[in-house]
Amino acid sequence: MARPRRLYPDPPMAKGNQLRAVRGMNDILPGDEGLWSRFDDAVSDVMAGYGYGRVRTPILEHTGLFVRGIGEVTDIVEKEMYTFTDSLNGDSLTLRPENTAAVVRAAMEHNLTYDGPKRLWYSGPMFRHERPQKGRYRQFHQVGAEVLAAPGPEVDAELILLCQRLWDDLGLPPVRLEINCLGQSDERAAHRAALIQYFEAHADQLDADASRRLHANPLRILDTKNPAMRELVDGAPNLADYLGDASRAHFDAVQAILNSQNLPVTVNHQLVRGLDYYNLTVFEWIAPDGLTICGGGRYDPLIEMIGGKPSAGCGFAIGVERVLELMRADMAVTRGPSPDVYVVHTGSGTAALGFTAAERLRDAGLNVVLHAGGGSFKSQFKRADASGAHLAVVIGEDEAASGKLAVKHLRDRNAQQQTSGIEDLPELVSNFMNEE
Ligand code: HAM
């Protein structure tokens, strides 16, 4: 009989018959939990400190949101989106490559700004089909903040100061702030015409990407990573020369606030960012190894681009994995939290007592690992030691018969072993812990 065709064929396998994760998508294991939770805690504290409320949007959105929001001629929309057709209704859906467009959609859908500006933040996985390398993954995590319906330069500066506070709280090595002003659409249009004229006059020096972008999105040519085009790009017309008074005033005000808070700023006229929704201020934070750990800016046009009434928006997103790498270099202990107690038990009739002891200790707020899988006392003590627990509660057949459990110090070899009945165990263990 013919075998039925597999609905989901096996993915490429790297090791014999063993299935592996999708390329560029990482498992985050308990050993890194300490690092992640330190980051998450610092983020929640800083966001609360500036009055930002958390928003959680779906991981899937309609493809049109990103095509309209991020822009058709951008790397993300042209080649990095995980887009598929929902086989049940034919909708085109996309795993979110970023979250600004989705947060703006959610704010519009729920009329969040009806009573004035809103400060929002989010944290979660994003998906881009990029070539995986250090600091660049296909599933990665962002923490972002978005301020809606607040047009003034104070917000741009506040978002930047918020980032600086987070870097300080996390103890990061110095990261450099670069900012630029992209002006408004009419100013960019005049600059754009000048850019096209300039690049057309040097068409023979353009690489394939630049030739393709020349008429669709010439500003992105300035962002080239191709060293052969550096000189050409350096000589291109500068957007700063096309800015009107209001744009200049906005940019000056942002810088003045940052200066008043002693935050050093580098103005980089070539900073354009890879998404189409920006106007006025854009900024990036760059780590000592050259990787951008955070990017953002003002995106007033985005709200109209996705069908809302004209309004204002400004925000940033942090590449979490990139920040964790900086923290890791500086953090001696990256293992997950150790339990307080490891319960060792062997012999008939000891398992039930082991469960009871562990549950009583947990009732008292202690973190307890109950040994699983049997084995001799010796092998169980090895496990107890490796777990990092402070104490072992020991239950053999004698203890089970007498109802007296032994409590043994695992970190201080000179400490005396003690015994206790099950009722007094939580108190004895807590006293032991407090003596440390
Ligand atoms: P973005 O520059 O595309 O901006 O991404 C922000 C940050 O996410 C980057 O600076 C980088 O640290 C991290 N990142 C991006 N792609 C990857 C990747 N493949 N692997 C690892 N990390 C990555 C945005 O996404 C905008 N939504 C930022 C924003 C918010 N603008 C205004 N509000």
Side-chain angles (χ1 to χ4, degrees), residues 258-280:
L258 296 176
N259 284 337
S260 77
Q261 300 305 307
N262 298 321
L263 204 150
V265 175
T266 309
V267 175
N268 174 2
H269 289 302
Q270 284 173 356
L271 182 67
V272 294
R273 312 259 316 123
L275 305 93
D276 277 359
Y277 47 59
Y278 292 109
N279 68 327
L280 295 172

Side-chain angles (χ1 to χ4, degrees), residues 76 98-100 122 128 130 135-137 140 142 145-146 273 275 277-278 292-297 299 315-319 322:
I76 296 179
E98 64 105 51
N99 212 29
T100 307
Y122 57 85
R128 295 185 195 176
E130 298 196 77
R136 195 174 291 286
Y137 311 104
F140 60 100
Q142 284 187 342
E146 314 290 355
R273 312 259 316 123
L275 305 93
Y277 47 59
Y278 292 109
T292 301
I293 58 167
C294 171
Y299 50 82
F316 64 76
I318 298 167
R322 295 183 184 186

Side-chain angles (χ1 to χ4, degrees), residues 80-203:
E80 294 171 0
M81 295 207 303
Y82 283 93
T83 295
F84 60 93
T85 306
D86 182 336
S87 59
L88 298 180
N89 61 9
D91 285 356
S92 178
L93 302 177
T94 293
L95 282 170
R96 62 183 186 192
E98 64 105 51
N99 212 29
T100 307
V103 167
V104 169
R105 176 204 53 70
M108 279 166 26
E109 204 164 320
H110 304 284
N111 201 15
L112 284 190
T113 54
Y114 78 98
D115 60 349
K118 276 285 166 306
R119 291 175 163 82
L120 304 169
W121 74 279
Y122 57 85
S123 173
M126 308 292 154
F127 303 85
R128 295 185 195 176
H129 198 283
E130 298 196 77
R131 202 155 61 81
Q133 52 189 284
K134 184 173 174 284
R136 195 174 291 286
Y137 311 104
R138 291 180 173 173
Q139 175 176 321
F140 60 100
H141 294 76
Q142 284 187 342
V143 160
E146 314 290 355
V147 183
L148 302 176
E154 312 80 26
V155 166
D156 315 29
E158 171 182 297
L159 286 158
I160 290 171
L161 289 167
L162 185 161
C163 289
Q164 179 64 59
R165 181 176 294 274
L166 181 62
W167 313 146
D168 290 345
D169 288 0
L170 294 171
L172 296 195
V175 282
R176 190 175 78 247
L177 171 66
E178 290 194 353
I179 72 174
N180 191 19
C181 179
L182 297 185
Q184 301 293 9
S185 61
D186 55 335
E187 294 153 2
R188 278 200 306 280
H191 175 239
R192 184 189 143 100
L195 268 185
I196 293 178
Q197 204 177 21
Y198 172 81
F199 285 124
E200 270 176 351
H202 299 87

Side-chain angles (χ1 to χ4, degrees), residues 224-248:
T224 179
K225 301 277 179 293
N226 181 356
M229 289 201 10
R230 203 64 259 164
E231 206 179 317
L232 182 68
V233 161
D234 284 345
N238 201 331
L239 176 61
D241 298 328
Y242 294 79
L243 296 181
D245 290 346
S247 295
R248 271 181 224 275

Side-chain angles (χ1 to χ4, degrees), residues 6-24:
R6 280 249 188 103
L7 187 55
Y8 301 107
D10 273 342
M13 279 174 270
K15 245 191 179 175
N17 193 29
Q18 192 186 324
L19 295 174
R20 316 273 289 195
V22 175
R23 195 163 123 79

